[in-house]
C-alpha cells in the first residue's frame, strides 16, 4: 500500500484544519493509503522535506487540531513556475514524493493552490508519472468558481454578522451617536462585506449601507446616501469591503487621505478611514469611527459556523474518496441541493477551471442603489452560518493544537 | 410603596444590562419598590423625562436584555456641575424624581458615574431630601478603586485572551511571519492589555511582550526587545495598550508618525501603528502588522465570561438590598474571598472615594524588564473569565434586545 500527503496553502481560515482531519479519518475507515503525511508550509516546505507522519498523532490531538483555526500544518504563498519555463521544481517535488512512496498529493487552498494542482497533474500526465493530485477548496473570500461556496466563508460570515450586530449596539448607546464604519476583507469580491446583512435587531437589519467591490464607488453618491440617512435617524452604520474601486477600477484604498485631526495630527488608514475622512470633510458630524476587522474575521474559531466546519471536514473526506477512484487534477465541489432543509452534495471540477478565475457577488443580489443586498442574498447566506462548534477549553480559553511550530 | 429608577452611564460593556436585570429580579422577589423605572441615556435622558417602566416588560424580553451587550437603556457622558456653582440641575432632577415618586436612584457606571452618585447624595443630605443614591460598578477598564475587579472586565479579558490566541495562530502560519502588534483599550491602566497573557498554546503564553501604561515607554528598549526576540524565533507577537506613555507622561499615541509605504502613501494610525513604524524603520523585517481591537473588546457578548455576567447580575441585586436598608452615596463593591474555589462577597464603599480616582495595574505584577506580567497576574485573571453564557439565537446569530431605540 502506498502513502499520500496533504498540505495547506494561502491565507488561513478557521476551518482549514477540519479538512485535513476529514481526510485522515476517511483513510482510517477506508484504508486507501498506509500513511497520511502532512507537508508543513505547503509546497515550500515539502520541497525542503518538512514532512510529518500524521498517522502517528494521537486521536486526542487530532481532535483538538480539527477545531483549531489557522493553517495548523503551516502555509505558503508559493506559485510553481510554468512547466515549459522551468521543470526542475517539478522534478524535485516528484522525487521527494517518490522517496516517501506517495501516490496522491492533496492541497487545501484557493485559486493559486488549484493552479498548483492543475500544473502538477498536467506535468504528471505529460511524463507518465503515476501520482494523482487533488484540490480541496478553502478561502474565506468565497470567490472560487463552480462550488456553491467555499469552506471558511461561513465562519467568517458568522463572525462578521455577529460583530456587526454587537458593534452596532455599542455604537448606538448615546443620544448623538454619529457614524460607524466597519471594514471587512475581500480584495476582489464582496461576499464577506455582504454577509453583514445578517446582523438583525428586532428582525430588521442593523446595517444601513454595504459597499462592495462589484459596484463602482462613487464619492458623491456615498456622501448623499450617508447625509440623508444621518438626517433621518441621527446615526449611520456602514459596512465597506477593503476592495472597493472607483469607476476606473482603481482601489479606493490607494487614494491619498492624509488630513488633520483636532490635535493637528495627520490621520490615515485603509478604506474605512478614507470614507471617514470623506464624511468629516462634509462637516455635518464630527463623530465618525472606523474599524478594520483585519485577520480576526478569518481565525475566530470561537464564533465559527458548525455547518462550515462539517463541510470542511466533508470536502477532506470526499477528496480521499475521489482520489481512491483515480481522479486527478480536480477540486472537490460543493453543490447546494436544497435550502430548506439545507442539503449539499459533492462532486469534482477541473482544477484548471478554478485557477486564476474569480466568482463575483451576483449583480442581481445588489439593490438598485448599489448600497445593499437583496433577499436572495439572505437565503444564500443563512444556512452557511448555522450552529456553533463544541470546543475543548483549557484555563477557560479554547485549547488549540497545531503542528507547524 | 414608592418607586426606584436605574440608568446607565459612560462606555458600554458586554454585561452592563445584567446589572439592571439583577436589580429588577431582586425587586420582584423582595418587593422593595412598586415600580422599577429605567432612565434612558443616563442623567441626560432623565433630565428630559426619557423614562420607561421596566416592570411592564415581558420576562422573555428581560431575559434577552440580560444577555445583550452595550448599554441597552442608552448611555451618556454627562457630568453634573459642582453643587456650589450650579444647583439648578440638581433641583430639576429631584423634581423629576419626585414627580415619578422615586425614592432611590441607581446608576451603573465607572468613576464619573460615582462622581454623580456622590454629588447627588451630598445634595440630598444638605437639603434634607429623602431620596437615596446608589452606584453599581461597571467598566471594562477595571480601574475602580477598592473593588477587587469591575463587572465588564472579565468579559473583555476573555475576548482579548481568545483573540490574542487566535490571531497569534493566524500570524504564525508562514515560514517567515514577521511581527504582529495587537492594540487594546486602556487609556490610563494596563489591566486589559495585561489580560492577553492568558492566551496559551501547549501551556505556554503566545504573547512575547506586553506594553502597559504603568511602565514608561522607552523606544530604544522596545527596539532592543523586539530585535532580539525576532532573531531568536523569527516572529514576535506584541500586545500594546493604547495608553502607553513616555517618561514625561506624554501619550505615545500623540506622536506624529507619518511615513511612507512602498506605494509612497502616508501611513498613520494609533499606538500599534506607531510601533509598527518604529520597527519598520530599523529595517530588519518588512513584515509588520498592527491591529486595533477597538470597541469589539467591550461588546463581544458572543465570547463573554459567564462569571462576569453573574457578578454583574449580583451587583445589581445587592444594590437593591443595600438601598432597601437606607444606604446612600455608596457603590457596591466586589471582594474576592478565595481563589480556589473562587468566591466573592459584596459590600459597599463611599462613592466619593471611587470618583476621580484610578486603580493601576500593580507594579509588583510586572516583570523586571517592564515588558510582561508575573504569575500573580494569572491567578488574579483566571477566575474572572470562567465559562460561557448560554445565549438565545435567531437566524443563527444571537438574539439581542435593547430599549433605547
Amino acid at each position: 500500500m502506498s502513502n499520500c500527503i496533504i498540505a495547506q496553502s494561502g491565507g488561513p481560515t478557521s476551518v482549514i484544519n477540519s479538512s485535513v482531519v476529514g481526510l485522515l479519518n476517511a483513510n482510517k475507515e477506508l484504508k486507501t493509503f498506509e500513511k497520511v503525511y502532512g507537508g508543513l508550509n505547503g509546497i515550500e516546505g515539502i520541497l525542503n522535506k518538512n514532512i510529518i507522519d500524521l498517522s502517528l498523532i494521537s486521536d486526542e490531538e487530532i481532535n483538538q487540531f480539527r477545531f483549531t483555526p489557522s493553517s495548523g500544518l503551516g502555509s505558503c504563498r508559493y506559485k510553481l513556475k510554468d512547466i515549459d519555463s522551468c521543470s526542475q521544481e517539478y522534478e524535485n517535488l516528484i522525487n521527494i514524493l517518490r522517496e516517501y512512496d506517495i501516490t496522491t498529493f492533496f492541497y487545501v487552498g484557493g485559486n493559486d493552490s488549484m493552479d498548483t494542482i492543475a500544473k502538477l497533474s498536467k506535468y504528471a500526465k505529460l511524463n507518465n508519472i503515476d501520482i494523482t493530485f487533488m484540490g480541496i477548496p478553502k478561502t474565506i473570500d468565497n470567490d472560487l468558481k463552480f462550488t456553491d461556496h467555499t469552506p471558511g466563508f461561513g465562519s467568517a460570515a458568522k463572525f462578521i454578522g455577529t460583530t456587526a450586530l454587537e458593534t452596532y449596539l455599542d455604537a448606538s448607546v448615546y443620544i448623538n451617536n454619529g457614524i460607524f464604519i466597519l471594514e471587512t476583507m475581500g480584495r476582489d469580491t464582496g461576499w464577506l462585506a455582504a454577509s453583514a446583512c445578517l446582523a438583525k435587531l428586532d428582525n430588521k437589519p442593523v446595517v444601513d449601507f454595504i459597499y462592495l467591490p462589484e459596484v463602482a464607488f462613487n464619492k458623491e453618491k456615498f456622501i448623499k446616501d450617508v447625509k440623508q440617512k444621518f438626517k433621518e435617524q441621527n446615526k449611520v452604520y456602514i459596512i465597506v469591503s477593503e476592495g472597493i474601486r472607483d469607476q476606473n477600477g482603481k482601489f479606493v484604498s490607494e487614494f491619498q487621505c492624509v488630513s488633520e485631526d483636532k490635535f493637528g495630527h495627520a490621520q490615515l488608514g485603509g478604506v474605512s478611514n478614507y470614507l471617514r475622512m470623506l464624511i468629516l470633510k462634509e462637516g455635518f458630524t464630527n463623530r465618525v469611527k472606523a474599524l478594520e476587522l483585519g485577520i480576526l474575521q478569518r481565525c475566530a474559531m470561537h464564533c465559527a459556523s458548525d455547518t462550515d466546519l462539517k463541510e470542511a471536514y466533508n470536502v477532506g473526506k470526499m477528496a480521499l474518496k475521489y482520489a481512491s477512484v483515480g481522479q486527478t487534477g480536480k477540486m472537490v465541489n460543493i453543490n447546494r441541493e436544497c435550502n430548506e432543509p439545507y442539503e449539499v452534495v459533492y462532486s469534482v471540477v477541473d482544477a484548471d477551471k478554478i485557477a486564476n478565475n474569480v466568482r463575483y457577488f451576483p449583480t442581481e443580489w445588489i439593490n438598485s442603489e448599489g448600497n445593499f443586498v437583496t433577499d436572495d442574498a439572505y437565503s444564500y447566506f443563512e444556512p452557511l452560518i448555522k450552529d456553533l462548534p463544541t470546543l475543548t477549553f483549557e484555563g477557560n480559553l479554547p485549547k488549540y493544537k497545531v503542528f507547524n511550530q
Side-chain angles (χ1 to χ4, degrees), chain A:
Chain A
M1 222 194 299
S2 65
N3 306 315
C4 72
I5 191 165
I6 183 164
Q8 302 170 326
S9 177
T13 75
S14 288
V15 307
I16 185 169
N17 299 325
S18 277
S19 296
V20 177
V21 177
L23 186 136
L24 255 176
N25 287 356
N27 191 57
K28 273 181 195 158
E29 199 187 302
L30 301 173
K31 299 190 176 26
T32 309
F33 300 101
E34 196 181 331
K35 286 180 182 176
V36 177
Y37 287 112
L40 301 186
N41 295 107
I43 287 272
E44 198 178 350
I46 296 172
L47 284 167
N48 289 312
K49 297 195 194 171
N50 286 330
I51 292 168
I52 59 172
D53 185 352
L54 295 173
S55 325
L56 299 177
I57 296 165
S58 73
D59 287 349
E60 190 194 343
E61 285 196 341
I62 286 294
N63 199 52
Q64 285 161 20
F65 176 61
R66 177 173 176 178
F67 295 100
T68 294
S70 91
S71 313
L73 300 179
S75 190
C76 70
R77 293 207 176 275
Y78 192 89
K79 214 169 167 175
L80 285 173
K81 294 187 189 70
D82 277 336
I83 299 171
D84 307 332
S85 70
C86 174
S87 65
Q88 189 60 54
E89 264 181 350
Y90 292 79
E91 273 173 47
N92 291 348
L93 188 76
I94 298 295
N95 286 338
I96 291 167
L97 297 182
R98 282 194 168 134
E99 191 181 317
Y100 285 81
D101 195 19
I102 288 166
T103 54
T104 304
F105 174 100
F106 298 97
Y107 216 22
V108 198
N111 319 53
D112 286 345
S113 312
M114 296 315 136
D115 182 65
T116 301
I117 288 295
K119 281 174 175 163
L120 285 169
S121 64
K122 191 177 160 196
Y123 178 83
K125 273 180 200 161
L126 283 172
N127 297 280
N128 290 316
I129 294 164
D130 197 19
I131 299 180
T132 56
F133 297 87
M134 180 63 68
I136 300 172
K138 166 247 52 163
T139 169
I140 63 159
D141 289 330
N142 203 37
D143 62 353
L144 301 192
K145 281 268 189 188
F146 303 101
T147 188
D148 177 77
H149 55 277
T150 56
F153 172 69
S155 295
K158 183 166 192 150
F159 182 72
I160 290 170
T162 305
T163 298
L165 180 54
E166 292 176 338
T167 54
Y168 164 79
L169 289 173
D170 187 289
S172 307
V173 298
Y174 297 115
I175 292 175
N176 292 304
N177 293 298
I179 294 166
F180 192 87
I181 310 167
L182 188 71
E183 178 176 333
T184 70
M185 285 182 168
R187 188 81 183 154
D188 297 310
T189 66
W191 297 99
L192 290 167
S195 70
C197 70
L198 293 165
K200 287 180 180 178
L201 193 64
D202 297 328
N203 222 16
K204 286 199 299 277
V206 299
V207 175
D208 294 305
F209 300 117
I210 301 177
Y211 295 98
L212 309 168
E214 284 81 357
V215 180
F217 182 74
N218 180 308
K219 256 204 277 195
E220 289 69 36
K221 173 77 168 75
F222 169 74
I223 292 294
K224 207 184 131 205
D225 284 352
V226 175
K227 228 176 191 168
Q228 177 61 31
K229 189 61 80 179
F230 187 72
K231 211 170 150 187
E232 284 167 25
Q233 59 189 31
N234 206 25
K235 66 184 173 194
V236 190
Y237 190 99
I238 299 165
I239 296 283
V240 63
S241 163
E242 64 172 342
I244 59 165
R245 291 157 217 221
D246 69 7
Q247 56 271 47
N248 303 316
K250 188 179 171 185
F251 282 116
V252 171
S253 59
E254 287 181 18
F255 293 143
Q256 282 284 9
C257 59
V258 183
S259 89
E260 288 189 1
D261 69 7
K262 57 184 175 174
F263 304 107
H265 302 137
Q267 293 285 302
L268 222 242
V271 179
S272 53
N273 209 42
Y274 174 72
L275 298 190
R276 177 174 166 264
M277 288 300 161
L278 283 184
I279 297 168
L280 285 175
K281 243 195 253 171
E282 292 295 309
F284 60 91
T285 178
N286 58 7
R287 294 171 192 255
V288 190
K289 272 192 186 171
L291 188 67
E292 288 179 40
L293 275 184
I295 61 170
L296 294 178
Q297 65 204 287
R298 68 181 190 199
C299 62
M301 174 63 85
H302 74 273
C303 184
S305 150
D306 203 46
T307 299
D308 188 25
L309 274 157
K310 281 180 182 145
E311 290 181 347
Y313 183 89
N314 286 338
V315 291
K317 195 169 129 183
M318 293 309 294
L320 187 105
K321 288 195 179 171
Y322 286 117
S324 73
V325 295
Q327 296 274 13
T328 186
K330 309 282 184 185
M331 182 189 85
V332 178
N333 225 22
I334 304 177
N335 312 287
R336 190 184 309 216
E337 288 286 285
C338 182
N339 237 3
E340 287 181 51
Y342 175 67
E343 212 186 301
V344 298
V345 295
Y346 300 90
S347 63
V348 286
V349 60
D350 289 340
D352 65 359
K353 288 186 182 159
I354 303 286
N356 312 309
N357 220 331
V358 173
R359 188 176 59 138
Y360 295 98
F361 187 78
T363 317
E364 60 272 26
W365 293 1
I366 302 172
N367 70 355
S368 58
E369 294 283 313
N371 58 21
F372 209 78
V373 300
T374 66
D375 286 347
D376 286 335
Y378 286 94
S379 317
Y380 174 84
F381 288 138
E382 272 162 4
L384 309 183
I385 63 163
K386 203 159 176 259
D387 298 333
L388 279 166
T390 305
L391 305 180
T392 309
F393 288 83
E394 186 169 61
N396 289 299
L397 292 189
K399 186 175 170 75
Y400 294 139
K401 182 70 201 168
V402 294
F403 299 110
N404 64 322
Q405 307 209 1

